[in-house]
Amino acid sequence: MSRAERLLALIQCLRRHRQPVSGQNLATELGISLRTLYRDIASLQAQGASIDGEPGVGYVLRPGFMLPPLMFSEEELEALLLGSRWVAERADARLGAAARNAIARIGAVLPVDLRDALDSDSLFIAGAPKIAAGDAELATIRQLIRSEHKMQMAYRDETGRDSNRVVWPFALAFFESVRMVVAWCELRQAFRHFRTDRIVTLTPIAQRYPKRRAALMKAWREEEAIHRAQCEAEAAAAVASLPDEDEAAA
């Protein structure tokens, strides 16, 4: 990599470590010699980077140092481009427009030699079946998630049965052809997953739910992990109960 890319990678590496990290670990992660690392750290410090530490002790980047605007590597730009194209094709209309605007804004301030990467057609999203309905509701749901507010909805399940729910939405999942709201359901007093195309009506409630979104997410992930572990244990027990080939032949 070029020296500029190497210095950028060093800054990014230091940002990932909140505690002091040894020079040897940094050099190994970057694939450079320890001598080159010390030279690069000195160069960054001369440019104003608040890097504290010394050889044998470790280094840490203090908050406040800003890189020149949008210094991305080519692979980082490709990741941004591919991700934005996926969002533009798979997310709701407003989020897709935001993704296209973000890439246009990035391209407007990139150096000329990197700007061409945004016009590359070598990375694209393959066509997919038409995404399920629910586009109109997604912007409202995302706003409710950000503000941690409840919502009331009329929901129709896979059997066609209707129910009225008050839920606490805290996550939104985008699959290839389905969007799913993850929420705490007051009716069931449990976490539930709701397909957006089965939401008949949706009404925001001007009331915050009593728990923080991060706490709900943590509890949901723990419950999902327990459920997966139980399923794996049941599957392993079922396999263990099967006769081996010799017993089956007998």
Side-chain angles (χ1 to χ4, degrees):
M1 66 177 73
S2 68
R3 181 171 180 273
E5 290 177 328
R6 195 174 70 239
L7 293 177
L8 174 61
L10 175 54
I11 286 291
Q12 299 291 65
C13 186
L14 285 167
R15 279 179 168 165
R16 288 196 298 270
H17 296 278
R18 297 187 178 183
Q19 301 297 324
V21 56
S22 71
Q24 185 59 63
N25 286 343
L26 288 170
T28 300
E29 187 170 344
L30 295 169
I32 59 178
S33 68
L34 196 56
R35 182 177 179 180
T36 299
L37 175 81
Y38 292 150
R39 203 165 50 233
D40 287 348
I41 286 178
S43 296
L44 288 170
Q45 288 172 329
Q47 295 177 39
S50 300
I51 301 175
D52 294 343
E54 58 185 52
V57 176
Y59 297 93
V60 63
L61 178 66
R62 298 299 178 190
F65 178 69
M66 299 297 293
L67 290 169
L70 300 177
M71 285 185 60
F72 296 115
S73 68
E74 289 188 355
E75 287 190 341
E76 287 171 337
L77 282 175
E78 288 177 343
L80 287 171
L81 181 61
L82 191 61
S84 67
R85 286 177 175 172
W86 193 97
V87 171
E89 291 291 331
R90 301 288 190 272
D92 59 276
R94 287 181 60 177
L95 209 56
R100 289 186 288 270
N101 289 341
I103 289 299
R105 186 172 298 181
I106 289 172
V109 295
L110 278 176
V112 176
D113 58 333
L114 292 178
R115 199 175 303 158
D116 292 340
L118 290 183
D119 297 326
S120 171
D121 291 327
S122 59
L123 299 174
F124 58 91
I125 302 298
K130 181 177 175 59
I131 296 176
D135 186 89
E137 292 81 11
L138 288 184
T140 300
I141 294 171
R142 285 190 282 107
Q143 177 58 45
L144 290 170
I145 291 173
R146 287 193 294 267
S147 62
E148 300 182 347
H149 276 67
K150 298 181 181 183
M151 72 179 188
Q152 184 172 11
M153 65 179 182
Y155 189 75
R156 182 169 296 145
D157 65 18
E158 67 275 8
T159 67
R161 182 174 53 188
D162 292 340
S163 61
N164 290 308
R165 315 274 185 125
V166 172
V167 301
W168 312 349
F170 60 88
L172 190 58
F174 290 81
F175 298 93
E176 283 298 314
S177 58
V178 172
R179 290 83 167 256
M180 195 83 71
V181 182
V182 185
W184 175 265
C185 177
E186 292 187 356
L187 177 65
R188 303 303 184 196
Q189 286 296 295
F191 292 115
R192 288 291 185 267
H193 307 132
F194 302 100
R195 284 179 46 162
T196 59
D197 57 312
R198 292 177 179 162
I199 297 176
V200 181
T201 61
L202 183 157
T203 305
I205 298 177
Q207 178 186 6
R208 292 174 65 97
Y209 41 74
K211 294 185 179 181
R212 298 306 304 269
R213 174 160 45 99
L216 290 171
M217 178 67 76
K218 180 180 179 182
W220 172 73
R221 283 176 171 166
E222 290 173 351
E223 185 174 294
E224 287 293 299
I226 292 172
H227 177 69
R228 283 195 297 270
Q230 289 174 339
C231 290
E232 290 171 359
E234 290 172 0
V239 171
S241 66
L242 294 174
D244 59 29
E245 292 182 0
D246 291 337
E247 292 175 344

